[in-house]
Structure formats: C-alpha cells, structure tokens
Amino acid sequence: MKIVVPFLMLLSLGLFCQELPPIQNYAASEYKAESQNWSISQSEDKVIYVANNKGLLEFNGAKWTLFPSPNESIIRSVKVVGDKIYTGCYMEFGFWQKDDFGILQYTSLSEKMKTGLIQDEEFWNILDMDKWIVFQSLNRIYIYDLRSNSVNLIEADTSVPKVFKLDQDIYFQRLDKGIFKIEKGKDVLVYDATPFKEDEVINIFRRGADLLILTRHNGFYLVSGPLVNKWATTADTLLSEVSVYSGLQLQDNSFALGTISHGLIHLDQNGNALYHIDQIKGLRNNTVLSLYEDFDNNLWLGLDNGISYLNLRSPIKVYHDNKGVVGSVYAAIKLDNYLYLGTNQGLFYKTHDSDWDFKLIQGTQGQVWSLDVIGETLFCSHHTGTFSIKENRAKKIAAVPGTWRVAALSESPNLLLQGNYDGLYVLEKRDTGWRLRNKIEGFDHSSRYFEILEGNIFVNHEYKGIFTVTVDSTFSSAKKVRVDPSLKGANSGMVNYRGEILYAYKKGVLKYDKIGKKFVRDSILSTLYTEDQYVSGKLVSDLENDHLWVFTNDNISYLSRGSLANTPIRRSIPLTENVRNGIVGYESVAPHGDDQRYLFGTTSGYVTIAIEDFHEPDFRVALGAIRTAGKNTTKNEGNLLSKQSEGDFQSHENNLEISFYAADYNKFVKPNYQFQLLGIYRNWSDWSEESSASFENLPPGEYTFNVRAKIGDKASSNVATYTFKIARPWYISNLLLTLYLFAAILGSILIHNSYRRYYHKRQRKLIEKNKRDMELAKAQNEKEIIKIKNEQLKEEFKSKSNELAASTLSIIKKNELLSKVKEQLVSKVDDKDSVRPIINIIDQSLKQNDDWELFKEAFNNADRKFLRKLKKAHPNLSPNDIRLCAYLRLNLSSKEIAPLLSISARSVEIKRYRLRKKMDLSHDDNLVNYILKL
C-alpha cells in the first residue's frame, strides 16, 4: 500500500516530467536565522519580510537582515501595512517601523491593552481591514483600531485555527461548530456543514458569486447560497492523501496549495493541476508553512526548512534532471510531435505535449553529439556511429566511431557528408535506406565543424586552423588540402548562415570572402561580443525562424533579418554563462513549440525560453544602509547613518560603506549595479552584481554618491543619490586657517625682520671681512712693497757690494802698482835722489787715508749695521782693527789685505792674531766666520 499511494498521487496529476518555473532557494545559513518560516509579506518598496523562529527577516533582493523578536520568541505572523510591519509572536503583538537609519524599531500594541493575554497565547495570523488590524491567536481575535489606537477582542469558546479576509468581511472557523462571520463586532455562524465542523479550513476564496472553501484533508468545497458541494479537481486524489497547511489564490485566479511533507501544488482557476513541486523537483523542503504572492507575481514559500520563491510569470521554464537519468543535453529537436534529447547518456524522447518522463531509445546509450533532420529522416550523430531515428526506434547506418555531424550535399541529394573524429565520410541512400559509402581519402583530421561552399569543404579544427579541402567529383578523395593555421582558437566554431560561411573565435566573427578566397572580419557580427565576453564560438543557425544564435559570457544573443535594411537586428536574453549552466563549446538551441519558445541544453537537463515574452518590469534602485567603516570598525547600529538627510561628517569619519539594492526577485536574471562618487570620481564604475561600495580615506570636501541598476538590458527608472560632506580636520578649520594666516603674516614679518637683521649682520660681516681683506690686501701689498724694497735693497746692497768690491780691488791694484813702481825705482834707478820725490809721493799716496774713507763709506752703504754691531760687541777695537774686520767681512785674504794696509802679509797675520785676542776668541773659533755672523 505504501508503494501504491505515492503512485496514485503522481498518476492523479500525470506529473512525471515537468518544465517548471524557475525556483530560487535560500537555506538558513544564507539568511542567518532559524529554519522555520511561518509567514511572508512585502512592503511598497518591494522589500520582503518573513516571520522566522528567530525573529523578523528582511530581504531587499541583495541582503538578508535579521531583527530579533522583542521577547526572543518565535514570530508566527507578519503583515506589512503602509510603512509599518505588524508581527505576532508568543505573548506579544505590535509593529515595526524604520527609523532615519533604516533600522526597524519595535512598538508593542499588546502592552497597551487593558485586558491581559491568555496564558501561552501566540498570534498566528494578521489581517488588514482598512481601518483595523486584526491579530488572531488560537483562542481570541484582537482588533486594533488605527484611528483610536485601541484594541478590542473577540473571545472564542473553542479553538480558532485561522481567520480569513474576504472582501471587507472577516471569517473564522470554530472546530465542531462551523464557519463564522464577524458582523458589527459580533461573530455570526454562517456555514455549519459537516466538512467545516470536522475538517480544518485552510482558506476561503471568492469564485464569482460563490465561495470556495479549502480544507486540510478533503480539498475544495463550493458554497453557492445555502448549498455546499465538493468542488472536483484533477488533484482530488492527491489532496485526499496529503495534509494541506496553507492556501492562496493568485492574481491570475489560480491556486497555490502548501502541504505538509508533499511540497507545493499549483492548480489553475478551474482546478486542473499545473505543477506539483517537491524537494525532488527543486524545492528546498517539502513542508510549506506559508505562501505569499509579491507585486511581481512571484510566489514565495515559507518552508519548514528554508525559503523559496517561484517566478511563475517567467518566460523561462526549467526541466531539471534531478534523478540523473537524462544527463547533459548536447542536442535537442522536435519532430512529428516527439521531443528528442541527445545527451551524454544517450538519445531520449517523449511526446512533445506530455508530462511523462523521457525514455531512452534502445541502442543509443552513450554520447550523442548532434541531431539533424535531412529530408524526412532524423540523424543521430553518436560516439559509436550514426543512427537514423524513427519515432522511438534507432537504426545504426554507420558503425564508424565518433560521428560529429551529418549534412546534406545540395548537388547530390542521394549523398550526405559526415564529419567524424578521423575525417570525412560519405553516406549514400539506397532502396533499403542510408548506409556508409566511403571515407574521403587524403584527409584524416577531426571534422566537428564543416561546411560546403562552391565545391570546397571547409573544416574548422580549433587547434590546427581552418582546412580547405578540394575533393574529386565522386567525393572519394581529397585532391588538395590547404590549412590556414592563423585561424584557430579554443571553442571556435563555424556555421553556414544565409549562404555565408561564418567563423567565430575569441577575436571576433569572420566571413568567407568568395572573391578574395579568404576569411575577413565581419564588422557587424564582430560587435556581438568582446574578447572579455567570449565564451564559445559555437554559432547556431535556426533555419526555421531565420535566427543566428550566439552565446557569450553576459548573454545569449540572436540575430534576425531586418525588415527595412540589410543590417540584421540583434536581440539579447540576459542569461549569463554561470546562470544558464550550459555546456561551454557545445551549446545547443532548438525551437520548442509554436510560441517562439526555444529549448537550451544544460549540464543537467534544459531550459525553455519564450523569447518574445522576455521583458523586465520597471524597477527602482534604492539605498540600503549607510555606515562609517574602517579596519577597526565593526558593523553595528552605532555606526549607521541617516539616509534622510545630507551627511555631515568629521574629518576622521572619512571611511564609508554604502549598500544599495533593486528589489527584484528573478532566479536567472540578477540586478547589476553601477555607481559614481562625484567630488572625487566622475566616471561610473563597471557593472557588477556587488551591492555595496566602500570608500576609504576620503579627503575633505562635498560629495554626491549616485547608483543605478540594470536588469538584463533594462535600466532602473531612477538614480539613487546620497549627498554628504566631510569636514576639514580641526587643524585646517576656518578659525585655525585664520590663525594660520595671521601667524603666517606675523611669521613673515618676523622672518622678514630676522632676515633683515641677518642680512644686515651678514652685510656688516661682509664689510668687516672686506675691510679685513682690504687691510690684509694692503698688508699684503705693503709686504709686497717691502719685499720689493728689500729686493731693491738687496739689489742696491749687491750693487754697493759690487761697488765696494770694485773699489777695494781698485785700491788693491793701485797700491800694488804703486808698490811695484816704488820697488822698481828703488831697485833700478841708481840716482836715488832723483827718484826720491817720486818715492815720497808714492809713500804718501800709500799712507793716505782717503782710500779708507772711500771704502768705509762704501762699506757702510753696503753693510751699515755691521760696524755698529762690531763696535757694540767690541768697543775696545782700534780704527785699524775695525778696518781689518771690514776687510775680513769682505772675506779678503791676508795677502789681499796687506796692500790695503800698506803692510806685509805677515804683518796682516799678526794683526789678525791680535784681533782674536781682543775679541776673546778661542783657538777653535774661526775669526772670519765670527765676523761674517755679526
């Protein structure tokens, strides 16, 4: 029986393989609170609030924030009304309101009541009734009057599981009694049918003039006037087996049902099952405690373990291979109401409009590389060879391992060209079907990408380049093979689009020039991506809709023919590479239905996108928290700043962190932000998903922070702005700047005076130095003059000495001559008397003192100090002694002195001896040396 019940649940819905709306899950570790989430609501600025076991959660699309409950108990309910967030928890209810810093502050309403609360009372539901707010516990209903700020209550003698708002009426259930309605402050029994007494009512919905009442175990009941009937749905079998805990009617009148242990059930307005989503199909948890539809029609689920939301209106649908049966999808195609998936695990199929799971076509286990329809035949290119497919049967027509792709030969309808790991092969159509004919000899390179143009086969090899293969007329052998090694690159691709061969690699898109016989850069197609955006050169030509698909890091783009010009029209789907989960280099896209929906293979299934419905709603960007930051600053309420007024910060408060958000909730398309800080940076930052900006060590000045956002290609309708200024440090404040100016002026004056004194002093020193230099120069000049005079004196002395010497020599020679004449006269003349007068004259001449006086005068002129020194040293000397000393001073010998004294040389020696005695010279003293030293 345990096996039959789950099978009947699935059978009742026919839900085995569903393309589901995108599901975003959040674990408790992500929002940093407890696992259970009891209620969800949304504010006018699209911020989500969740009642959690640990407190009130706030989520703005970029960041989760937890506000602990006022008494540390579980918050069971939350309802946003205007700018207030009403909550109910254990023995407490009230509201939260943001202060100037964006922090929620709590105000208790239960404390204002005159009547006390019941023991262990918890508040499970909150309703907005225009002028009243209704808080519901299991035993009472409290009505808070917004006008008078008073609280009234309605007692219940039995348990009140829930209260319901329908139009402007309030309904609630009392077990064993039925459904009541509050009229004029009184509870009135309106439905006492057995199902409403015995089974818990989950919610009440309006259906035209009738009511639909959802119960926990028995599904829906239709109340039409006094009649109560079971409302039949295709999920009745499932609803009878599960426990429904929460229910919600959505804006499109469909129904979302949250169950205990069985996930989410989604029914259309007529009760037909749309989805049954549980943990296996992508939900975070199977127990759905609360449901909420936000302003953008996303369905939020508060789970027993985590939080999830579904993008119900998204143009994207997801088939996720949770069981791992299908695997990674490399190719897909729809043919004859069958949908085929070529994966790394084989070729799978199912009927196109059914929800039954995919089945493997027997014999195709293993890697499928591509699926191609040629004529009326579907070809499956497989790792083990080539198959032709007919409905759910496969026939191997070529057993050559490693078939990449099969293509038609337009000029030979009975032949096909096949690219393999080891070259090119030809398939031929016979009466019995297609079969392998031959390998094209002379070409043995891997041929994943190949195209045929004007009799040549172009083969792209990402590691070797582009080959141009010229074959013979029978496609039996290659006559000529050329390769262009300059055109190669990882994940490069080649395709034939509108009769043109295109080659895409990291540096752009090239087109084959038929005239120049070479590939040239296509200026239009090369704008599809930059080198930074390049992921794959895989281009897909959609012949059915005349689209060319391109896959980049930022988006999926497709080109279509322009209606008025030859320039193609480019459209983008903002699915980034990491979000779309594709197989890089092996991307696949195929038409999927008649509503411009396309199927894209992923690593674990596929996604489908209705490309004509891909539109982002208008949205706004808002500032989150503004706080002072820094290395030693912790994030707390103390460093938060007000967003309501212009910031005015001290000089040390120059590290700021500003968070921002765009409250848009989309599984696949996330907001990107761009900011600028006027006052220091005029340029906008690069687009990024980062939702905060930090600025450190900002200089003093006035700043304006701007932030804008985009979702896909749609920009936010506003630019959020925050203006602030950073004061100058105290040491450069206006007052101190004035003081600095005064000090500078005073300092300038002091410095000027100091410099004047300094320069005056220096001038004086220079004058004194110059004076000293002049005096020194004068002295030097005088010294030079003295030197010159001395030199002149020396010259004069030398001249006098020479004159003295000449005079002395003249006297000596004269005296010698006179002496010789006398001797001759005495010796030669006999008549002595006749010559005696002459002799007497000679003797008189020799004895005259005139020569000495002349000598003395010359000697004094030459050495005037000598005679004074001599007389002073030896006053006892006679004039003859002085005369002898003078001659000795001239360093004359005794022989030279004798004529001067008119005595013999012997007599001179005797005089010298006597002179030594008078001078008291010792035996060792040299007389001449002594006289020369005086």
Side-chain angles (χ1 to χ4, degrees), residues 563-613:
S563 57
L564 299 177
N566 199 29
T567 303
I569 298 173
R570 174 188 176 181
R571 295 181 177 87
S572 297
I573 301 171
L575 295 184
T576 60
E577 190 276 327
N578 61 328
V579 167
R580 61 181 181 257
N581 199 26
I583 308 168
V584 176
Y586 295 89
E587 294 86 353
S588 62
V589 55
H592 185 64
D594 300 327
D595 57 348
Q596 285 292 298
R597 183 172 288 274
Y598 282 82
L599 183 150
F600 298 84
T602 69
T603 56
S604 57
Y606 62 84
V607 298
T608 68
I609 304 176
I611 61 175
E612 297 295 332
D613 298 336

Side-chain angles (χ1 to χ4, degrees), residues 747-905:
S748 299
I749 295 173
L750 294 175
I751 291 171
H752 175 69
N753 292 334
S754 176
Y755 270 105
R756 284 186 63 187
R757 289 194 298 271
Y758 170 77
Y759 281 112
H760 287 166
K761 184 177 179 181
R762 186 174 180 184
Q763 189 176 18
R764 287 194 302 271
K765 288 183 178 180
L766 286 174
I767 292 171
E768 291 174 0
K769 182 176 181 297
N770 290 336
K771 187 175 180 181
R772 287 196 302 270
D773 290 344
M774 290 175 67
E775 291 175 353
L776 183 62
K778 183 179 179 181
Q780 190 71 24
N781 292 337
E782 291 176 352
K783 185 177 180 182
E784 289 293 327
I785 292 170
I786 293 170
K787 182 179 179 182
I788 293 170
K789 286 183 177 181
N790 289 336
E791 289 177 355
Q792 289 175 348
L793 290 173
K794 287 180 181 179
E795 290 294 328
E796 186 179 350
F797 175 77
K798 185 177 180 182
S799 175
K800 296 291 183 179
S801 297
N802 291 337
E803 183 181 336
L804 179 62
S807 174
T808 304
L809 289 175
S810 176
I811 294 170
I812 291 171
K813 287 179 180 181
K814 183 194 78 167
N815 288 343
E816 285 179 350
L817 179 60
L818 289 176
S819 294
K820 285 181 180 181
V821 170
K822 179 182 178 183
E823 286 177 1
Q824 288 295 325
L825 291 174
V826 172
S827 63
K828 298 296 182 180
V829 177
D830 291 335
D831 188 3
K832 302 296 183 181
D833 292 330
S834 60
V835 294
R836 185 165 300 283
I838 298 170
I839 292 171
N840 289 333
I841 293 170
I842 291 171
D843 288 338
Q844 187 179 0
S845 177
L846 289 172
K847 291 178 180 178
Q848 280 181 351
N849 202 29
D850 294 339
D851 291 336
W852 163 244
E853 293 298 330
L854 178 63
F855 173 79
K856 184 180 179 181
E857 182 180 357
F859 186 85
N860 279 326
N861 289 335
D863 196 359
R864 64 181 64 179
K865 294 181 181 180
F866 172 71
L867 293 178
R868 289 198 302 269
K869 290 181 179 179
L870 182 63
K871 291 176 180 179
K872 185 177 181 181
H874 304 285
N876 59 339
L877 295 180
S878 66
N880 285 332
D881 293 334
I882 292 173
R883 187 175 182 183
L884 176 60
C885 288
Y887 292 147
L888 290 174
R889 178 82 172 178
L890 294 176
N891 205 15
L892 297 178
S893 65
S894 295
K895 186 178 180 181
E896 293 171 330
I897 297 171
L900 297 173
L901 297 177
S902 298
I903 61 175
S904 64

Side-chain angles (χ1 to χ4, degrees), residues 388-457:
S388 63
I389 308 299
K390 183 67 174 178
E391 295 182 347
N392 60 352
R393 299 182 302 278
K395 177 183 178 182
K396 182 173 284 190
I397 58 176
V400 179
T403 302
W404 288 113
R405 174 178 167 237
V406 177
L409 290 171
S410 58
E411 297 179 358
S412 303
N414 291 326
L415 298 179
L416 300 176
L417 190 62
Q418 174 177 294
N420 279 67
Y421 296 168
D422 61 348
L424 296 167
Y425 289 81
V426 178
L427 300 178
E428 183 180 29
K429 187 175 185 180
R430 297 290 183 89
D431 294 336
T432 56
W434 293 96
R435 70 175 183 84
L436 180 65
R437 193 189 77 170
N438 65 276
K439 181 180 186 298
I440 296 179
E441 299 297 333
F443 185 78
D444 301 317
H445 301 278
S446 178
S447 303
R448 178 183 169 195
Y449 293 105
F450 64 88
E451 297 295 340
I452 306 159
L453 184 66
E454 297 180 345
N456 292 322
I457 304 173

Side-chain angles (χ1 to χ4, degrees), residues 196-213:
F196 308 145
K197 294 180 181 180
E198 298 177 351
D199 198 1
E200 182 181 340
V201 173
I202 301 302
N203 210 339
I204 302 175
F205 311 109
R206 176 73 64 187
R207 183 176 173 82
D210 303 328
L211 297 181
L212 272 179
I213 299 178

Side-chain angles (χ1 to χ4, degrees), residues 7-18 234 273 281 354-357:
F7 176 77
L8 289 175
M9 292 180 189
L10 294 172
L11 187 64
S12 66
L13 290 173
L15 306 180
F16 287 87
C17 165
Q18 283 187 303
T234 58
K281 293 181 180 179
S354 74
D355 289 327
W356 296 97
D357 213 343

